[in-house]
Every structure is written in structure tokens, then in C-alpha cells.
Amino acid sequence: MLKEYILDIKSTELTIALVAHDRKKTDLVQWFQKHIEQLKNHTIIATGTTGRLLKESVSYIAKIKIETVKSGPFGGDQQVGAMIACNEIDALIFLEDVLTPQPHDVDIKALLRLAVLYEVPVACNRATADMLISSPLFFNKNSRLKYPNVQSEFEDYLKRQLIS
């Protein structure tokens, strides 16, 4: 049975998670600075070092709310994932270094899995981040489609009988 999608009418302030691996942090800071005017009225959630670098890159004139969680390998990716599961993140920009092995690879996979599961728009490179932020739907929650609640979609799974 297809569920009808409805519009989600909420405030226009978004909470956007920005995450970058070490070799991609400079790229994310540059992307952030390029889009500072579009981002300044929204809340930014960033993992540890990325958050510090973003804060350092903002001039004192630009008032922007940047909150940090722990560094990715110390649980920051999991904290952002938990925020996604609690519907507290509206978009995720995650510049991943795919050429360098990451010790917390399972956390990264879990974070991206939750973003997909909860229908959170995700960009994993600058080109996609540019497309996402330039979409007319991105900053307008009034025009954003609300997808069926994940919990209701997985009721059968949640109520399944476990074999002893």
C-alpha cells in the first residue's frame, strides 16, 4: 500500500550537520565560507575538529550558530546519528575521505545508514552539497515533503517474533 506524502509545515530554521574527514576539512571550510550567507540563519552541528575549524573561519561579523559534538572517532558520528534518529537533523553534509582507511569506519557506515533510513538529505562531496544547498526545497520546510514515519514503516519488523 502506498502512503500519501504530505507537506511538513515547520519553522524555516534548519539544523544542518557538517562532518569532514581530516583530508577533507579544508574543502568543507571553503564550502562553508562560500555559502555562509545561506547558512547564517540556521543551526550548524559539526563534529569536534571540524566544528572548531568552522568557528575559526567565521568572521566576528557573521553571526552563525555552530554547535559541536565529539570528534568522529570518539563518538561524534554516533552523536550525529542519534540526532538524526530523533529527527533533529534536517540535512547532512559529510565530506568523506574515501582513499584513507578510517578506524571508525563502522560508525561512518552507521551514520550514513541512519541518514538514508530517516530520509535526511545527504551530500558526500562538494558538487552534491552545492546542488543540495541550491535546491529551492532546501531552505523551505513549508515545501519539504514529509515522508512516512520510519517507525510506522517498520512496525512489522518491530513487532516480529524472535526465535528462541
Side-chain angles (χ1 to χ4, degrees):
M1 177 174 135
L2 290 175
K3 293 194 176 187
E4 194 174 314
Y5 296 129
I6 58 173
L7 293 178
D8 185 13
I9 300 174
K10 292 182 180 177
S11 71
T12 56
E13 182 181 318
L14 300 177
T15 301
I16 304 164
L18 300 180
V19 180
H21 286 147
D22 287 350
R23 291 179 52 190
K24 296 294 182 176
K25 289 187 190 313
T26 300
D27 292 344
L28 186 59
V29 168
Q30 290 171 351
W31 181 87
F32 176 75
Q33 290 173 329
K34 176 182 172 184
H35 297 287
I36 192 76
E37 284 301 310
Q38 294 162 287
L39 296 168
K40 70 180 180 183
N41 297 318
H42 305 282
T43 299
I44 303 299
I45 305 292
T47 50
T49 308
T50 301
R52 178 179 55 81
L53 293 171
L54 292 174
K55 287 177 184 179
E56 290 172 359
S57 77
V58 178
S59 74
Y60 67 93
I61 298 171
K63 294 181 181 179
I64 187 162
K65 187 175 181 181
I66 302 173
E67 298 176 11
T68 57
V69 296
K70 293 182 178 188
S71 181
F74 292 95
D77 295 332
Q78 291 181 348
Q79 286 178 291
V80 174
M83 294 173 79
I84 288 171
C86 292
N87 295 312
E88 296 171 4
I89 299 290
D90 296 300
L92 171 63
I93 310 294
F94 186 173
L95 301 189
E96 186 177 0
D97 179 4
V98 297
L99 297 177
T100 303
Q102 302 296 327
H104 62 299
D105 193 57
V106 294
D107 299 336
I108 297 162
K109 186 174 182 178
L111 171 59
L112 293 172
R113 178 186 169 279
L114 287 170
V116 170
L117 182 66
Y118 284 90
E119 300 282 353
V120 172
V122 178
C124 293
N125 59 47
R126 288 176 292 176
T128 307
D130 284 342
M131 288 183 185
L132 189 63
I133 201 168
S134 65
S135 167
L137 296 176
F138 189 70
F139 290 115
N140 186 352
K141 280 193 175 184
N142 292 333
S143 67
R144 176 135 341 134
L145 291 174
K146 181 177 180 184
Y147 297 95
N149 183 307
V150 172
Q151 196 136 359
S152 67
E153 288 290 302
F154 295 100
E155 281 182 29
D156 291 341
Y157 177 80
L158 297 173
K159 293 178 182 178
R160 72 192 184 285
Q161 294 293 321
L162 298 176
I163 300 171
S164 303

